[in-house]
Amino acid sequence: MKDIYYRLITYNKNKYGAKVQRIPINAGFTCPNKTGEKGKGGCIFCDSTGSGFASLSSKTPINDQLNAMIERYNGRANMFMAYFQSNTNTYAPVHVLKKLYDSSLIDDRIKILDISTRPDCVSNDVLDLIASYKEKLDVFLEFGAESFNTNTLKLMNRGHTVSETLDAVLRAHKRKLDVVLHFILDFPTDTMEDIIEMAEISSILGVHGVKLHSLYIAENTKLGEMYKNDDFKPLTLNDYIERVITFLEHLSPNIVIHRLVSEPPKEGCLFGLWGLKKMKVFNMIENEMKKRNTYQGRLYKF
Ligand code: SF4
């Protein structure tokens, strides 16, 4: 049966003949939206780990982080993606970045170098460095776009604009890099029209993939404070399901879905996934799509 959406696992199986397991790396970066260079305090939802709660401590050398995580798979996976996840993984001089990225290429089981960053933190020199790894292995470059609504970006305190995201994608594409855009689909100031824009603009840009996130609210964040003071009301699970389905329907069928639902942190989480397990939400989305006989790209018009 044809997939109802283009899963990363399908893309990897077609390309490598097997699953490629993602290994999160904490390279000890910080973020220009926290240091004052772009902004202070960070995005209102960002906790102290910078979305890297699943990775090991940055005190552990990168090669040891990878080896320790690979060992956990104990033969269940033989191909891996070195995923620079925590904070802003291009926020350092080029020679420092090179040393860090190089140290993730521990052996030829690493098939993909995956670097996650902000769209306003990639100079042309940094993009040239990242593109140079394409000679050795596949490279994904992930940008936190989060929304294409300027007011939502302001409310999130993202510290970058929509045009900076578009500029970063176009400069990365000039270097033939595979770009993955992140979006938070259930931010309350975004409407369904905004969701359709996210899907259609991503399609027109021709990005390689997208990662969809459901908003979680962590302790010790600005959003956490707003939530506790009743100044922020999350959307419902049904809203999220509707938004994911609408997004997929308007997205080009050629774009790979790297994530459909994000996992909230196990500790210090005030609100996340409506109290359900990730797999449950995942299955609810798939079942609803099957029930409606819909699929990725059904309403894609470009
Ligand atoms: S850009 Fe990422 S790391 Fe920086 S403050 Fe926002 S969520 Fe946190």
Side-chain angles (χ1 to χ4, degrees):
M1 195 184 86
K2 197 176 174 304
D3 277 351
I4 48 180
Y5 59 94
Y6 191 1
R7 299 156 199 265
L8 179 61
I9 196 165
T10 307
Y11 170 85
N12 281 335
K13 278 191 175 158
N14 288 342
K15 188 148 194 188
Y16 304 101
K19 184 178 177 190
V20 180
Q21 184 62 49
R22 183 186 288 124
I23 307 284
I25 293 170
N26 183 348
F29 287 103
T30 176
C31 172
N33 200 22
K34 292 176 179 173
T35 59
E37 189 176 325
K38 298 280 177 181
K40 278 209 170 133
C43 305
I44 61 169
F45 47 78
C46 185
D47 63 12
S48 57
T49 68
S51 308
F53 54 84
S55 52
L56 298 176
S57 159
S58 62
K59 292 193 180 104
T60 309
I62 288 173
N63 54 342
D64 290 346
Q65 289 185 42
L66 278 161
N67 280 319
M69 299 287 259
I70 287 174
E71 213 166 283
R72 290 186 192 172
Y73 286 94
N74 194 20
R76 282 177 289 123
N78 297 310
M79 298 187 197
F80 300 93
M81 185 188 301
Y83 178 34
F84 285 79
Q85 178 179 25
S86 310
N87 283 303
T88 300
N89 293 277
T90 53
Y91 188 36
V94 171
H95 70 277
V96 176
L97 294 176
K98 182 170 182 339
K99 213 167 149 202
L100 291 170
Y101 301 155
D102 281 351
S103 65
S104 74
L105 310 183
I106 51 172
D107 57 45
D108 60 10
R109 289 174 301 171
I110 306 293
K111 298 292 176 200
I112 303 170
L113 174 64
D114 188 350
I115 297 165
S116 175
T117 189
R118 293 169 56 86
D120 60 350
C121 196
V122 282
S123 66
N124 286 334
D125 288 347
V126 167
L127 288 176
D128 287 340
L129 170 71
I130 295 172
S132 72
Y133 287 92
K134 280 169 61 71
E135 286 168 18
K136 299 181 190 135
L137 75 177
D138 286 326
V139 179
F140 293 150
L141 179 58
E142 305 197 12
F143 291 131
E146 312 311 353
S147 172
F148 282 145
N149 175 326
T150 305
N151 293 325
T152 296
L153 292 182
K154 271 195 200 145
L155 227 141
M156 289 175 172
N157 195 35
R158 284 293 297 171
H160 68 77
T161 59
V162 175
S163 44
E164 281 171 314
T165 302
L166 303 185
D167 171 59
V169 173
L170 294 179
R171 287 187 293 113
H173 279 173
K174 261 191 200 160
R175 293 159 176 85
K176 304 205 180 328
L177 282 162
D178 284 334
V179 171
V180 179
L181 292 181
H182 289 230
F183 293 108
I184 296 173
L185 281 202
D186 56 343
F187 207 82
T189 50
D190 278 341
T191 63
M192 199 57 105
E193 285 73 29
D194 291 312
I195 302 302
I196 294 170
E197 284 282 88
M198 291 179 202
E200 293 188 338
I201 294 172
S202 301
S203 303
I204 293 163
L205 287 170
V207 296
H208 161 85
V210 289
K211 265 189 185 172
L212 308 184
H213 298 269
S214 43
L215 188 67
Y216 63 75
I217 304 176
E219 194 71 86
N220 301 321
T221 61
K222 176 87 194 305
L223 190 61
E225 263 171 56
M226 291 164 71
Y227 179 67
K228 284 196 219 164
N229 294 334
D230 272 342
D231 291 333
F232 184 89
K233 198 170 173 316
L235 295 188
T236 65
L237 172 59
N238 277 346
D239 290 327
Y240 188 70
I241 293 173
E242 282 303 326
R243 285 175 173 220
V244 171
I245 294 174
T246 303
F247 180 94
L248 291 176
E249 286 177 329
H250 287 84
L251 189 73
S252 158
N254 300 322
I255 294 181
V256 181
I257 311 302
H258 285 233
R259 185 173 287 161
L260 208 55
V261 182
S262 46
E263 186 95 69
K266 291 201 172 46
E267 282 165 27
C269 188
L270 299 171
F271 171 90
L273 278 186
W274 303 273
L276 300 173
K277 293 243 178 284
K278 181 178 163 183
M279 235 14 231
K280 171 87 180 165
V281 176
F282 191 83
N283 288 336
M284 286 173 84
I285 296 168
E286 287 204 357
N287 289 340
E288 189 59 30
M289 288 182 77
K290 283 179 196 155
K291 199 168 103 193
R292 295 185 193 181
N293 201 17
T294 193
Y295 48 87
Q296 180 179 343
R298 188 178 71 82
L299 300 174
Y300 174 58
K301 61 180 188 212
F302 293 96

